[in-house]
Amino acid sequence: CHVQFYSVQYPIDIHKRKLFLWFSHLPQEEKQFGGYFSPETMHVDPLILERNPEERLGLLSPCLQTQNSSFPSVTVEQLFEPTDAWSEDRGINVLLYGAVGTGKSTVIRKLVLDWCTGTTLANFKLLVPFSCEDLNQLSKMASLRDLVSRKYLHLKKHPLLSGEGSQAKDVLFLFNGMEKIQLDFRIGSTELCSDPNEALLPGVVVVNLLRKYLLPEASILVTTRLSALDRIPQKYISRYAQICGFTDPDRQRAYFTSRLLQQSGKTAHNQEAQALIELLYLSLQRESQLAAACFLPSYCWLTCATLHFLHFTSINAPIRTLTGIYTSFLRLNFGGEVLGTGAGTNVPIQGHHSSLMLYVVRTVGKLAFDGVTYKRTSFSERELEQWIGGKTKTDEELRQLAMFRTDVLDFFLAPCVGNDKYLSQDLSENDERRYVFAVPAMQEYLAALYMVLGENKSALEKLTRQVSMAIGQATEDVNALMNILSKFIPLRIFAIFNLLKLFPKLFEKISSRNKGSIARTMAAEMFRTEDSYNEDVLDQVEQSLLGVHGPQPKQYSEGQPFELYPIFMGGLLHYGNRVLLQQLGCSIQSSTVAQITLALRKYLVRELSKPQPPEELMDLLVLLYEFQNPRLTAEVLASIRAIRLTNIRMTPIKCFVLSTVLSCTPPSYHLEELDLSSCLLTHDMLQMLWPAFRHTHNLNLQFNSLGPESCILLRDLLLDSKILIRSLQLCDNPLLDSGAHTLLESLPKNQSLTHLSLMHTGLGDKGALELAERLQQHTGLQELNVAYNNIGDNAALTLVDACREHPSIHTVHLYLNPLSDVGKKSLYVRGVLRGHGGSGRHVKVLASVTEGSDISEDWHPILSVIRENASSWDHKRIKQQLKVFLTDLEWGRQQQQSFWKRLHFRKVEKGVKQTLQMLEKDTPSKRYHK
């Protein structure tokens, strides 16, 4: 958006232009959406309710209860409209309050931008925003005009702030985050002042503005949290208003639309985004736990960021991780926050420097860790009191706890909505209300943070650490004293001093063992047997947001699976997340990361020596991706020679994870097999997987939705001299003749391919003839599978002749093609080596379960292929072919004289009939064993 101002020569015009630039700046966290947003396009107004002053103390309940409130919904501009009690010589003081995450800062940013463009608060000529956190950092005395000019130099000596006449009625002061500054309204502590040029402490200036001693005509907007409502006496507030977030699904849907639908200009992506919005809306209308969380705009942001990560990850965008999203989410809401002492104390708020986020980890994180340990997601009020109330003793601790409960606790925990299948079975007799984490993954994130920060250590371990640090800091002094005292003190006492010197080393061993236990926990949680066949972790995250539409996924573990927990533990060790956590007051040392990483590599390699289901393998790749440690990734993957992700529902983020992880390996590293069959791959996903294909010998892309356009990428893949793909399986992809034409262009220059499967790809006579023509240009091919296509007799004969002339092809699959009896017999004869005077080689031609009047050696593999793929193939056509097989078998049996050969024919007939019965019942059965 470009704003046109009449002139920048006047101070207020300059002020509007600079304010617009400053407040248009989006936080770093917003850039992960791709940079398609502006504050105008993504803003959705939260619900704001005006409150009566006498009722404000009873309004600390969650805003979900205000949906049927009799209080009118208002805008900030309406709060400054004149009332009956208003007089021209006194401005209006508005106190806007709300819980963490309800959108106070966003409302303020939009308000300032709208004032700059003249769309709101036009009755105020000057808007002066202040951050109370900034004001609280100032230790020197300054006048009001100095405070303004310090931040807005262009407003220095502006007449509206002179205090002369009633000019100040056109001024609106905005103080954001009043809980972060110490205000004392006692006359004995804060002197009265009406001179805007008199130097005072910043807190005193704010108090006098609110008292209406200083610029009484000016209006003031103050924002604060619930716990700080009483910081300003009621007599100094004209109107109270509460921000209640998004209390109805329509507001939430508008927010999701503004975030997801504008994320890309691509039509296909917008269609997918529209489908996601509809699924979200259905989930919200069901009054799900997600709807209870999304009344806070912050959780709407987290939901959109997670879905954007899962569905719209791009290879061109900066790397994002799920752990990074949750860490950024907490930084947005708690960055720079400290836990003050509350009202009624004279201790400066910043004097304690107690990180609010660290307090969250030690209380809510401890609760989350206990839940993960004992597989519980819901907690009673008594349990909340036990874990979060703790053993508070001092008045200061009690005040901090009261502030935490009022401002922060409801941000993380919400009353349980509906019937959760994972609720604990031992509900209390009184059926008391139970609480759950607003977003299930938040429980696992906080539990992981609690673990990685070492907060789960015993009291003895914590004491050991404190003593070790104290002795470590005094090491130089101890060494100096040793040299002097050793000459005078007895030998026994001297031994005690030496023991003290060795204590830090003893602590290092204890600490190292503790870090090893963290790594062991990560590996154990990662490969829990009872979770082995659950949905992969990224699908679980999506289902927690969108719900499950259709058949419920198989769940093999009895309780709630906490498979994100070890992944978050790995992600928290990444440097980028540690930097953000450091800003939140949660420090993870580099030495800790090194020790955990060293132990983790050993445990992961040990677990990977056992066969792992595709879901567990996908989770491992996600863990390595979240860790963002190329060296560890390369060392772990060195023990893997095959990645089989059969039936994993691949998405852009999963393709990106796979490619990113394999890109960490050296160029010499190669997988023997990369199996991506039945993964719902698309052409766009293939492009993302290119880096993964570079490390693959045998590539299985069967049963996907790859069309002719995908063959362009596959052709380029085979033409790349650095990529040594030996086997390419493309069964059940609608490539058609046009796609085969593109793919076959790679044969002249490719030297690595030995096995090519084009079974059931829509190949016709034209494609088969072109394949026969191209074969002579590729000398390394050994096996060719073009079964179950539309190849007739003549094209099949031409292809077999070309294979017979080829130097290395030994097997051709042609069964399930529309071949006549004469054609199949001719193919068998053509495949056999000609007389010693002829040219050509023997080629095994698999066209039926019989070869002439004999049974084919490969009858069992042919039936196995049909059984494995029958569910996705055309039943009518397969039945027809099986009946042809029975006719061939019956004719061959009648030609046999030997009883044992006829018995063998009947055995094969039985296998064909069983396959036919399976198709007629249309139910899967056990594979026929030879």
Side-chain angles (χ1 to χ4, degrees):
C1 179
H2 299 282
V3 183
Q4 299 292 332
F5 298 107
Y6 295 106
S7 172
V8 297
Q9 297 178 358
Y10 297 99
I12 291 182
D13 292 331
I14 296 174
H15 184 59
K16 286 185 176 182
R17 181 170 61 87
K18 291 191 173 183
L19 273 186
F20 188 87
L21 291 175
W22 290 333
F23 280 80
S24 294
H25 176 72
L26 295 175
Q28 182 71 25
E29 286 76 8
E30 298 291 1
K31 295 181 180 179
Q32 65 184 307
F33 290 100
Y36 297 102
F37 299 113
S38 66
E40 292 80 12
T41 60
M42 69 183 184
H43 181 77
V44 177
D45 289 319
L47 178 67
I48 301 177
L49 298 178
E50 184 172 5
R51 300 297 198 183
N52 294 328
E54 61 273 10
E55 294 179 346
R56 73 192 189 283
L57 294 179
L59 298 175
L60 303 186
S61 58
C63 288
L64 284 174
Q65 300 175 8
T66 64
Q67 294 185 20
N68 301 319
S69 172
S70 59
F71 294 98
S73 174
V74 296
T75 64
V76 176
E77 186 174 26
Q78 291 172 338
L79 293 172
F80 287 96
E81 292 177 353
T83 61
D84 296 336
W86 178 78
S87 60
E88 291 189 2
D89 59 341
R90 291 178 68 85
I92 298 176
N93 290 353
V94 174
L95 180 58
L96 185 64
Y97 65 93
V100 176
T102 49
K104 298 185 296 296
S105 297
T106 305
V107 167
I108 294 303
R109 182 171 68 240
K110 186 65 165 55
L111 181 73
V112 173
L113 291 174
D114 287 347
W115 177 79
C116 292
T117 57
T119 56
T120 191
L121 297 174
N123 53 317
F124 292 108
K125 295 180 181 179
L126 180 61
L127 174 64
V128 186
F130 282 106
S131 164
C132 289
E133 186 177 8
D134 291 343
L135 292 176
N136 195 61
Q137 299 296 325
L138 300 177
S139 57
K140 295 183 180 179
M141 291 187 175
S143 66
L144 172 63
R145 302 192 74 171
D146 288 339
L147 288 176
V148 173
S149 61
R150 182 191 295 247
K151 190 165 187 178
Y152 309 106
L153 183 61
H154 45 272
L155 295 180
K156 188 175 184 179
K157 298 182 180 179
H158 196 281
L160 290 179
L161 302 173
S162 65
E164 299 176 0
S166 60
Q167 294 185 87
K169 66 182 176 58
D170 296 325
V171 178
L172 173 62
F173 289 100
L174 195 163
F175 295 101
N176 189 29
M178 186 266 293
E179 72 277 358
K180 298 177 183 178
I181 189 172
Q182 192 71 23
L183 301 179
D184 192 340
F185 285 84
R186 294 175 297 177
I187 297 294
S189 301
T190 306
E191 59 183 295
L192 300 177
C193 175
S194 60
D195 184 1
N197 297 301
E198 184 176 346
L200 301 168
L201 290 173
V204 177
V205 173
V206 175
V207 167
N208 278 286
L209 282 171
L210 290 168
R211 282 173 172 167
K212 297 303 180 186
Y213 273 85
L214 184 59
L215 300 186
E217 302 85 4
S219 293
I220 301 173
L221 174 62
V222 178
T223 68
T224 190
R225 290 186 180 169
L226 297 173
S227 62
L229 272 178
D230 284 341
R231 297 277 186 88
I232 304 176
Q234 178 183 335
K235 62 182 178 180
Y236 298 130
I237 299 298
S238 310
R239 304 176 82 167
Y240 289 90
Q242 183 179 12
I243 296 185
C244 296
F246 301 149
T247 56
D248 60 274
D250 290 332
R251 289 180 191 267
Q252 296 166 355
R253 180 175 185 169
Y255 185 94
F256 295 140
T257 301
S258 70
R259 292 279 172 160
L260 294 175
L261 202 56
Q262 300 180 32
Q263 61 83 33
S264 172
K266 296 182 180 179
T267 304
H269 280 191
N270 275 345
Q271 290 175 349
E272 184 177 356
Q274 189 64 56
L276 286 177
I277 293 168
E278 292 302 323
L279 291 175
L280 274 172
Y281 191 59
L282 288 174
S283 181
L284 296 173
Q285 286 182 314
R286 290 198 302 264
E287 296 185 355
S288 62
Q289 200 66 52
L290 177 66
C294 283
F295 95 89
L296 291 175
S298 289
Y299 277 105
C300 291
W301 182 93
L302 180 61
T303 300
C304 288
T306 304
L307 288 176
H308 193 278
F309 168 76
L310 293 175
H311 286 270
F312 303 114
T313 293
S314 168
I315 55 177
N316 299 320
I319 288 182
R320 294 173 296 144
T321 64
L322 195 60
T323 314
I325 288 174
Y326 274 75
T327 307
S328 297
F329 169 72
L330 293 177
R331 193 182 83 98
L332 276 174
N333 289 280
F334 297 100
E337 297 286 350
V338 295
L339 195 63
T341 56
T345 63
N346 295 321
V347 182
I349 290 179
Q350 301 292 336
H352 298 280
H353 295 289
S354 177
S355 164
L356 179 56
M357 192 62 227
L358 190 57
Y359 192 89
V360 168
V361 173
R362 290 172 176 170
T363 52
V364 184
K366 188 176 183 180
L367 177 73
F369 178 75
D370 181 74
V372 169
T373 302
Y374 297 103
K375 310 303 173 191
R376 298 166 59 244
T377 59
S378 67
F379 309 91
S380 66
E381 291 182 346
R382 281 190 310 226
E383 289 169 329
L384 295 187
E385 181 66 31
Q386 173 189 352
W387 292 110
I388 296 174
K391 299 178 181 179
T392 51
K393 297 178 180 179
T394 66
D395 290 343
E396 179 183 339
E397 288 175 338
L398 289 172
R399 282 192 294 266
Q400 288 182 340
L401 178 61
M403 291 179 63
F404 181 77
R405 284 181 173 276
T406 303
D407 290 339
V408 181
L409 189 57
D410 288 340
F411 181 83
F412 291 102
L413 294 166
C416 184
V417 175
N419 296 320
D420 190 331
K421 64 178 179 177
Y422 295 121
L423 278 179
S424 177
Q425 298 298 320
D426 53 346
L427 292 173
S428 62
E429 295 179 1
N430 298 326
D431 196 23
E432 61 181 327
R433 173 176 289 184
R434 301 189 70 83
Y435 294 84
V436 297
F437 281 83
V439 173
M442 183 59 73
Q443 177 179 355
E444 298 179 73
Y445 178 90
L446 290 177
L449 186 55
Y450 180 82
M451 184 75 174
V452 172
L453 287 175
E455 293 297 328
N456 64 315
K457 292 195 293 285
S458 65
L460 178 61
E461 288 176 312
K462 291 181 179 180
L463 178 63
T464 302
R465 182 174 185 272
Q466 294 171 357
V467 173
S468 176
M469 289 177 62
I471 295 177
Q473 292 170 356
T475 299
E476 294 183 2
D477 296 334
V478 172
N479 286 335
L481 286 171
M482 285 298 122
N483 296 328
I484 301 173
L485 297 179
S486 60
K487 300 178 181 179
F488 304 100
I489 60 178
L491 184 60
R492 292 180 181 178
I493 299 178
F494 182 69
I496 295 176
F497 278 93
N498 282 330
L499 181 62
L500 290 176
K501 290 179 65 178
L502 292 173
F503 196 89
K505 294 183 179 180
L506 178 62
F507 168 72
E508 286 180 9
K509 291 184 178 180
I510 297 174
S511 176
S512 178
R513 177 172 296 183
N514 184 55
K515 306 306 183 296
S517 69
I518 294 177
R520 187 167 54 253
T521 299
M522 291 173 66
E525 291 290 334
M526 192 75 206
F527 298 101
R528 289 179 61 213
T529 304
E530 57 267 38
D531 294 337
S532 295
Y533 293 94
N534 292 339
E535 298 284 321
D536 68 81
V537 69
L538 294 179
D539 277 356
Q540 290 180 33
V541 172
E542 181 176 298
Q543 290 165 9
S544 72
L545 298 177
L546 301 179
V548 179
H549 301 269
Q552 291 287 329
K554 292 182 180 179
Q555 194 74 39
Y556 294 88
S557 53
E558 295 180 359
Q560 164 73 38
F562 290 103
E563 297 183 64
L564 266 178
Y565 171 53
I567 291 174
F568 276 143
M569 290 174 69
L572 288 168
L573 301 179
H574 173 48
Y575 177 75
N577 288 319
R578 287 191 287 126
V579 169
L580 294 180
L581 289 170
Q582 182 71 43
Q583 298 172 10
L584 291 169
C586 301
S587 178
I588 303 175
Q589 301 299 326
S590 297
S591 58
T592 300
V593 176
Q595 291 173 346
I596 294 176
T597 303
L598 184 64
L600 180 63
R601 184 191 66 80
K602 178 180 66 176
Y603 290 119
L604 289 180
V605 170
R606 180 188 303 169
E607 291 292 337
L608 288 172
S609 63
K610 313 168 190 174
Q612 298 294 337
E615 293 81 5
E616 287 292 285
L617 206 51
M618 188 70 241
D619 290 350
L620 170 70
L621 296 174
V622 174
L623 170 65
L624 295 175
Y625 173 79
E626 292 284 325
F627 214 126
Q628 292 289 305
N629 186 323
R631 182 176 178 180
L632 172 70
T633 300
E635 291 175 348
V636 171
L637 289 182
S639 62
I640 299 178
R641 283 291 171 252
I643 294 180
R644 300 182 179 92
L645 299 177
T646 309
N647 294 320
I648 293 293
R649 184 181 66 92
M650 294 301 284
T651 59
I653 181 57
K654 293 178 189 177
C655 294
F656 188 71
V657 165
L658 178 58
S659 291
T660 303
V661 168
L662 284 176
S663 296
C664 296
T665 58
S668 59
Y669 173 80
H670 284 90
L671 289 168
E672 285 301 317
E673 180 183 9
L674 176 59
D675 187 348
L676 295 173
S677 57
S678 302
C679 289
L680 302 179
L681 291 176
T682 63
H683 175 67
D684 291 338
M685 293 182 193
L686 273 193
Q687 293 179 316
M688 300 183 75
L689 287 168
W690 180 282
F693 296 157
R694 298 179 66 89
H695 296 274
T696 305
H697 284 321
N698 301 318
L699 180 58
N700 188 343
L701 297 176
Q702 297 183 121
F703 307 104
N704 286 294
S705 302
L706 306 177
E709 70 281 357
S710 299
C711 290
I712 299 174
L713 187 142
L714 294 173
R715 176 199 63 192
D716 296 341
L717 190 69
L718 293 175
L719 287 174
D720 192 328
S721 59
K722 297 180 180 178
I723 300 177
L724 302 177
I725 291 181
R726 299 170 186 164
S727 173
L728 179 60
Q729 301 182 56
L730 296 171
C731 169
D732 271 77
N733 287 291
L735 304 181
L736 307 179
D737 285 340
S738 58
H741 170 76
T742 303
L743 184 66
L744 295 177
E745 292 175 357
S746 64
L747 290 185
K749 294 185 179 180
N750 178 272
Q751 301 299 323
S752 63
L753 195 64
T754 60
H755 292 74
L756 176 62
S757 174
L758 297 174
M759 181 170 63
H760 197 207
T761 55
L763 201 65
D765 287 347
K766 181 181 177 182
L769 292 173
E770 183 174 0
L771 178 57
E773 181 182 347
R774 295 273 191 180
L775 280 180
Q776 301 306 320
Q777 300 172 348
H778 188 282
T779 59
L781 205 60
Q782 298 175 11
E783 185 172 353
L784 179 64
N785 189 341
V786 288
Y788 194 17
N789 281 298
N790 299 308
I791 302 174
D793 289 353
N794 293 332
L797 288 170
T798 303
L799 181 59
V800 170
D801 284 342
C803 293
R804 191 167 47 79
E805 299 294 335
H806 193 275
S808 58
I809 292 179
H810 55 70
T811 306
V812 182
H813 300 254
L814 279 164
Y815 47 88
L816 300 183
N817 277 295
L819 303 173
S820 65
D821 291 340
V822 174
K824 284 186 281 189
K825 292 177 182 177
S826 299
L827 288 173
Y828 171 68
V829 174
R830 293 284 185 94
V832 178
L833 181 66
R834 290 185 180 179
H836 55 271
S839 62
R841 302 167 48 256
H842 171 72
V843 175
K844 184 185 293 185
V845 180
L846 307 183
S848 176
V849 292
T850 60
E851 293 179 351
S853 60
D854 292 327
I855 291 178
S856 170
E857 294 179 359
D858 299 285
W859 69 268
H860 184 262
I862 292 175
L863 288 186
S864 296
V865 169
I866 294 174
R867 284 173 172 269
E868 289 173 359
N869 304 311
S871 60
S872 61
W873 284 354
D874 181 2
H875 283 198
K876 183 178 179 180
R877 180 174 173 181
I878 299 300
K879 288 178 185 177
Q880 183 180 359
Q881 289 291 327
L882 289 173
K883 290 176 181 178
V884 171
F885 286 173
L886 287 175
T887 302
D888 294 343
L889 287 167
E890 185 177 356
W891 178 84
R893 176 166 47 81
Q894 294 173 355
Q895 308 303 313
Q896 304 301 322
Q897 301 297 323
S898 168
F899 171 78
W900 298 109
K901 283 192 174 183
R902 289 200 302 271
L903 189 64
H904 192 196
F905 267 88
R906 289 195 179 278
K907 180 180 180 182
V908 178
E909 283 182 50
K910 181 180 178 182
V912 175
K913 289 178 180 178
Q914 286 181 348
T915 306
L916 193 58
Q917 289 173 0
M918 182 191 76
L919 290 174
E920 289 174 347
K921 293 179 180 178
D922 198 24
T923 55
S925 63
K926 294 183 179 180
R927 183 179 300 179
Y928 176 78
H929 295 283
K930 186 175 179 179

